[in-house]
Amino acid sequence: MRITVNGGIRSAGKSDLIAVPCYLGKKGAEIDPVWAPHCKKEVAALLGTGDFTGKAETQKVIYAPATPLGAERILLVGLGEASALTPESFRRYGGIVTSLARKTAGKRAVALLPTAGEFPTRAARARAVAEGLGLGAYSFDLYKKTDAAKRSQQNISAILLLLPDEKELAEARRAAAAGLNVAFGVNLCREVGNLPANDLGPVELAERAKREGRAAGLAVRILDERALRREGMGALLGVASGSARPPRLIALEYAPRSGRRAKGAPLVFVGKAVTFDSGGISIKPADGMQDMKFDMCGGAAVLGAMAAIARLKPKRRVVGIISSAENMPSGTALRPGDILRSAAGLTVEVINTDAEGRLVLADALHYAKRYKPELVVDLATLTGACVVALGAMNGGLFAKDAALADRVRKAAAEAGEPFWPMPVDDAYFELIKSEVADIKNSGGRYGGAVTAALFLSKFIDGFPWVHLDIAGTAWTDKESAYTTRGATGCGVRTLVRLAETWA
Ligand code: BES
Ligand code: MN
Ligand code: ZN
């Protein structure tokens, strides 16, 4: 699908569908005032019925072959109250446009830029809408070569994002391209996240990361089993020991054009990529186990973010580290009671082999240190306890430094990804103190998300660190404006925002 940006209603041309932004007004739906004069007649009857209110994330299609807008269909999209618009309202608008356009028989769609609300620039609007257009275009149909799936790929091949006139057109074009780069990264994360574990193990993930990384211009480093042994990564190797598939540690490095001389220490993003989490010997119940193919979404988010960052070219150096293993039960598997030696030198008593995420992250967080990071952010589908605490509406954000937590939370919110602050408090340490090793990998049910974060904190050696638990937000059963069932791509936009704005 191609997305172009133009200015002025005359350049709309003929299309199969034209999307019109509408707002929730005091007396029913209000068409965006800039665009209203062009479509009043066609939609008057609908507005008269009161069937469409302009409430956020609502939509109505009108078939209007005679419209002066030159489209067969008019898609009215509600953005909510004009005074309460945020970039997220614009993303959702874009998402609704492409996800609906994909389902129509046409080839060409036009999305009119929403003009209401307070936004610093037209470019900011264009970026948010383009991001949504890109996100709404995604569907996971690699394994469904049915007629319907084929058709959905053949539909709408071009979308025109239309500005009221040619003012700031060049800036808006650049901003829309940036928004599409972000969507590319999110969609890559979703695609890799959705792949079933039989087709995506650690080796395949590393191959994919190499391919995507090289295509984007990143330096890619892959540590195989021998290299992991050389690094002493007993925690990651321990998790992988039950699987026939060997583990991998993947490093993706981005440097701005000025290269080595680039000022400032890098941001380092670390992701958990357990390509399937059966629980290991502490095996999970069968019910819902299929969802554990998504246990690599933290790593997938790091991959997606790095692919986007390489295209957006921020000034800051950024490194992505993906720690990947498959957690399986077998005769060679990790057992409860085993003691592992991590790369950091700390020994870990394994209480529960299902608490494997913190083990694969421990060695990756230690590896992050060699980059002398300015900030490390890790992402992981780490605990069921975080899902119990926060549901699917917020990820958990853990940091020892409250000011740092605020900063990252703000960046995430701006990117449209809500996180809620949680403690990383040494008072919980008694729960993961071991009699026989330096630390144990499970503190039981109570405070499960916090003890997991506290475990990670023991592998942080002197650099600022934030942990994001995305167990509840990395996948979804619900369809909404720009999300489909499966992997959501959660985390990508937060990481990209951090890379772009970290001063
Ligand atoms: N990958 C899971 C966490 C998870 C659970 C994510 C449910 C999404 C939905 C993680 O590896 C795990 O199994 N954690 C255990 C830890 C426990 C054994 C201390 C958990 O949360 O139950
Ligand atoms: Mn587990
Ligand atoms: Zn897991």
Side-chain angles (χ1 to χ4, degrees):
M1 200 179 65
R2 210 162 32 81
I3 295 178
T4 52
V5 183
N6 248 323
I9 193 78
R10 277 208 210 93
S11 57
K14 268 216 160 323
S15 64
D16 300 293
L17 178 133
I18 188 159
V20 182
C22 300
Y23 313 108
L24 174 66
K26 292 231 158 54
K27 289 174 271 157
E30 288 166 3
I31 308 173
D32 189 291
V34 168
W35 302 110
H38 302 289
C39 51
K40 255 224 157 71
K41 212 168 73 233
E42 292 80 6
V43 300
L46 172 67
L47 294 186
T49 63
D51 286 1
F52 178 71
T53 62
K55 223 178 98 194
E57 289 182 73
T58 58
Q59 62 192 58
K60 268 284 185 276
V61 183
I62 307 171
Y63 294 86
T67 165
L69 287 169
E72 279 189 4
R73 306 169 188 80
I74 297 179
L75 168 64
L76 300 180
V77 182
L79 281 85
E81 276 175 52
S83 60
L85 296 177
T86 64
E88 186 60 13
S89 328
F90 281 33
R91 284 185 205 105
R92 289 182 183 164
Y93 169 67
I96 288 170
V97 173
T98 33
S99 54
L100 192 120
R102 269 195 307 115
K103 292 169 198 151
T104 62
K107 288 268 182 238
R108 196 167 171 279
V110 176
L112 302 177
L113 186 79
T115 68
E118 295 288 320
F119 275 76
T121 57
R122 208 173 247 193
R125 296 172 189 271
R127 175 166 171 157
V129 175
E131 210 173 289
L133 290 171
L135 293 172
Y138 178 77
S139 67
F140 179 54
D141 38 30
L142 193 60
Y143 292 82
K144 264 181 118 131
K145 286 292 174 222
T146 60
D147 289 349
K150 269 190 200 145
R151 227 180 302 124
S152 96
Q153 285 177 345
Q154 283 160 6
N155 285 346
I156 299 295
S157 48
I159 298 216
L160 170 63
L161 173 57
L162 198 64
L163 314 187
D165 51 55
E166 294 196 347
K167 231 173 48 216
E168 287 181 61
L169 181 57
E171 291 90 335
R173 281 188 172 144
R174 267 195 301 278
L180 289 174
N181 282 331
V182 177
F184 173 86
V186 176
N187 291 345
L188 171 60
C189 172
R190 292 161 86 184
E191 181 73 7
V192 173
N194 285 330
L195 289 176
N198 57 330
D199 281 347
L200 190 94
V203 172
E204 292 81 10
L205 177 61
E207 286 302 314
R208 182 74 186 249
K210 193 195 274 177
R211 187 150 53 82
E212 301 288 349
R214 296 242 166 105
L218 296 167
V220 184
R221 216 180 289 271
I222 294 170
L223 275 63
D224 63 9
E225 259 179 310
R226 255 182 63 201
L228 296 174
R229 246 180 269 124
R230 210 178 327 112
E231 296 288 335
M233 296 198 173
L236 172 57
L237 286 161
V239 171
S241 65
S243 171
R245 306 159 108 180
R248 292 287 185 269
L249 190 95
I250 305 155
L252 305 162
E253 302 170 4
Y254 163 78
R257 243 180 216 293
S258 51
R260 295 238 172 78
R261 281 167 290 127
K263 284 210 189 80
L267 304 183
V268 177
F269 303 144
V270 177
K272 166 184 174 182
V274 172
T275 54
F276 187 71
D277 181 11
S278 69
I281 296 297
S282 316
I283 199 160
K284 288 181 182 295
D287 240 16
M289 203 201 269
Q290 69 278 5
D291 287 346
M292 285 300 141
K293 74 167 182 170
F294 293 117
D295 210 20
M296 33 64 69
C297 280
V302 169
L303 172 59
M306 293 306 296
I309 288 165
R311 288 169 170 80
L312 291 163
K313 305 195 195 319
K315 292 206 176 65
R316 166 76 62 180
R317 269 202 304 145
V318 188
V319 178
I321 300 172
I322 301 166
S323 191
S324 187
E326 186 182 50
N327 189 21
M328 296 290 269
S330 79
T332 57
L334 195 59
R335 292 155 286 246
D338 283 1
I339 299 177
L340 301 173
R341 185 173 296 276
S342 68
L346 285 180
T347 55
V348 183
E349 181 189 5
V350 176
I351 299 298
N352 190 318
T353 65
D354 198 11
E356 85 298 338
R358 64 201 75 183
L359 296 174
V360 308
L361 284 174
D363 283 342
L365 288 169
H366 178 74
Y367 194 79
K369 192 185 168 189
R370 77 187 51 207
Y371 291 100
K372 301 189 173 58
E374 160 123 355
L375 167 69
V376 172
V377 178
D378 81 71
L379 283 102
T381 49
L382 199 63
T383 65
C386 190
V387 191
V388 172
L390 298 172
M393 289 73 184
N394 278 285
L397 186 151
F398 301 76
K400 293 218 161 190
D401 176 339
L404 177 62
D406 269 0
R407 243 179 116 180
V408 172
R409 187 179 178 209
K410 190 162 158 278
E414 286 162 355
E417 297 183 325
F419 283 90
W420 204 265
M422 302 276 281
V424 196
D425 188 335
D426 280 315
Y428 293 77
F429 189 69
E430 62 176 88
L431 296 171
I432 49 173
K433 221 157 55 191
S434 167
E435 293 282 322
V436 292
D438 295 321
I439 193 168
K440 61 185 184 183
N441 81 329
S442 169
R445 284 180 42 180
Y446 292 171
V450 181
T451 50
L454 189 63
F455 180 98
L456 298 180
S457 76
K458 299 299 171 190
F459 297 85
I460 304 303
D461 186 5
F463 45 78
W465 161 74
V466 176
H467 159 59
L468 302 176
D469 194 331
I470 56 171
T473 53
W475 62 85
T476 181
D477 291 328
K478 279 199 292 205
E479 304 246 333
S480 64
Y482 55 71
T483 49
T484 45
R485 265 177 224 106
T488 58
C490 174
V492 174
R493 291 185 276 152
T494 296
L495 297 184
V496 169
R497 178 92 194 155
L498 285 172
E500 285 193 312
T501 59
W502 203 262

